[in-house]
Amino acid sequence: MNTAPFAEVSTAADLARLEATVYVECSRCVRMEPVRGGLVEGLDPVEWARRHAGKHDGHQGFRTHRITHFGVSAPPA
């Protein structure tokens, strides 16, 4: 498995083999924290959301994102 940033892929199958990072995001201020695959491995997204909501009035909507970074080569000219 290639975990390098923007690993080059040729097919959707290549992309499916790459590791994704999962984030929790506040929908109000768009602050994101990695839940899995980032620097804070094992972060509980619900606890993070509760702490964030407690510090910021009206920040009560959250979502998770699964992000895979990849690159492709430009087609021949």
Side-chain angles (χ1 to χ4, degrees), residues 57-77:
D57 290 338
H59 293 224
Q60 298 172 339
F62 299 89
R63 56 185 155 245
T64 58
H65 297 274
R66 181 181 183 275
I67 299 174
T68 305
H69 298 278
F70 69 98
V72 297
S73 294

Side-chain angles (χ1 to χ4, degrees), residues 28-58:
R28 180 98 185 245
C29 69
V30 198
R31 174 151 183 209
M32 295 174 72
E33 291 293 330
V35 173
R36 180 172 47 83
L39 297 175
V40 189
E41 188 74 27
L43 176 71
D44 181 328
V46 176
E47 287 304 316
W48 180 86
R50 284 188 178 132
R51 286 193 309 273
H52 185 82
K55 295 175 187 174
H56 307 280
D57 290 338

